[in-house]
Amino acid sequence: MGLVLGTARSWRAMLWRGARVIVVCGVLLIGADISVASSAPTPTPPVITEPFTPLPCHHGTTLGLEGCAEGQLLSTDRRVNKEVKLLFTVIPTAHQKQSFVQVEREWLAFRKADCSTMSAVFEGGTIAPLEYALCEVRDDEARSSDLYSYFGLLEEGRSDLPAWP
């Protein structure tokens, strides 16, 4: 019987030591995950690019109006890109930068879906591409306003930030 008790005690001791090893390994793994996450490179913000060659602007035809809308869109895209670039340089932490990049990517996906829905009303007609471009201009302008508000939050209590474009 003494042998059985001795064996039971040694099993308990082995289990206890094993549990400590598992806990220590778990802590080491968690520490490794934190160091890997903190050393991950900070992504760069997306830049809006358009897949079209701009048409000439002419107010007398639908195709010419589309060219005018494309010109407006390229202009608002440049403004949003400039604002995003500025914000990215003043966002203080890598985590906040990663969140900002994710939100920008999601906003670009939203803009595409939003404008596809809006222009679908005119699907098959010559006005559909014009409505799509004008929708993107409106969404760019709304985004620019949101970015300015975010800049205002970052600006609170700081005097070292550059001027808003």
Side-chain angles (χ1 to χ4, degrees):
M1 182 126 176
L3 182 62
V4 172
L5 286 177
T7 305
R9 284 185 192 143
S10 64
W11 275 105
R12 272 188 250 147
M14 285 175 43
L15 284 173
W16 176 243
R17 272 188 245 126
R20 286 191 308 210
V21 169
I22 290 171
V23 169
V24 168
C25 289
V27 169
L28 290 175
L29 287 174
I30 290 170
D33 285 344
I34 291 171
S35 66
V36 168
S38 65
S39 66
T42 303
T44 57
V47 175
I48 305 171
T49 58
E50 298 301 338
F52 57 79
T53 301
L55 297 167
C57 177
H58 178 63
H59 295 282
T61 65
T62 305
L63 202 56
L65 289 173
E66 186 180 340
C68 298
E70 289 172 347
Q72 286 179 297
L73 177 58
L74 292 171
S75 177
T76 57
D77 283 353
R78 279 190 299 274
R79 185 174 78 219
V80 169
N81 285 337
K82 188 175 183 180
E83 293 166 353
V84 164
K85 184 178 178 181
L86 171 70
L87 281 167
F88 195 73
T89 63
V90 299
I91 294 173
T93 68
H95 176 70
Q96 289 171 337
K97 287 181 181 194
Q98 288 173 337
S99 294
F100 180 71
V101 167
Q102 180 180 348
V103 167
E104 282 305 297
R105 287 186 180 133
E106 290 170 3
W107 175 77
L108 286 168
F110 162 79
R111 183 182 86 155
K112 183 177 183 178
D114 182 42
C115 296
S116 291
T117 301
M118 293 290 205
S119 66
V121 172
F122 304 101
E123 189 173 344
T126 58
I127 202 85
L130 173 61
E131 180 54 38
Y132 189 91
L134 291 173
C135 175
E136 286 188 318
V137 169
R138 288 189 302 269
D139 283 354
D140 276 3
E141 289 170 347
R143 185 65 185 152
S144 180
S145 178
D146 292 341
L147 293 171
Y148 180 70
S149 295
Y150 183 47
F151 182 76
L153 294 173
L154 291 171
E155 196 176 35
E156 288 292 319
R158 293 179 64 183
S159 60
D160 62 330
L161 296 184
W164 184 251

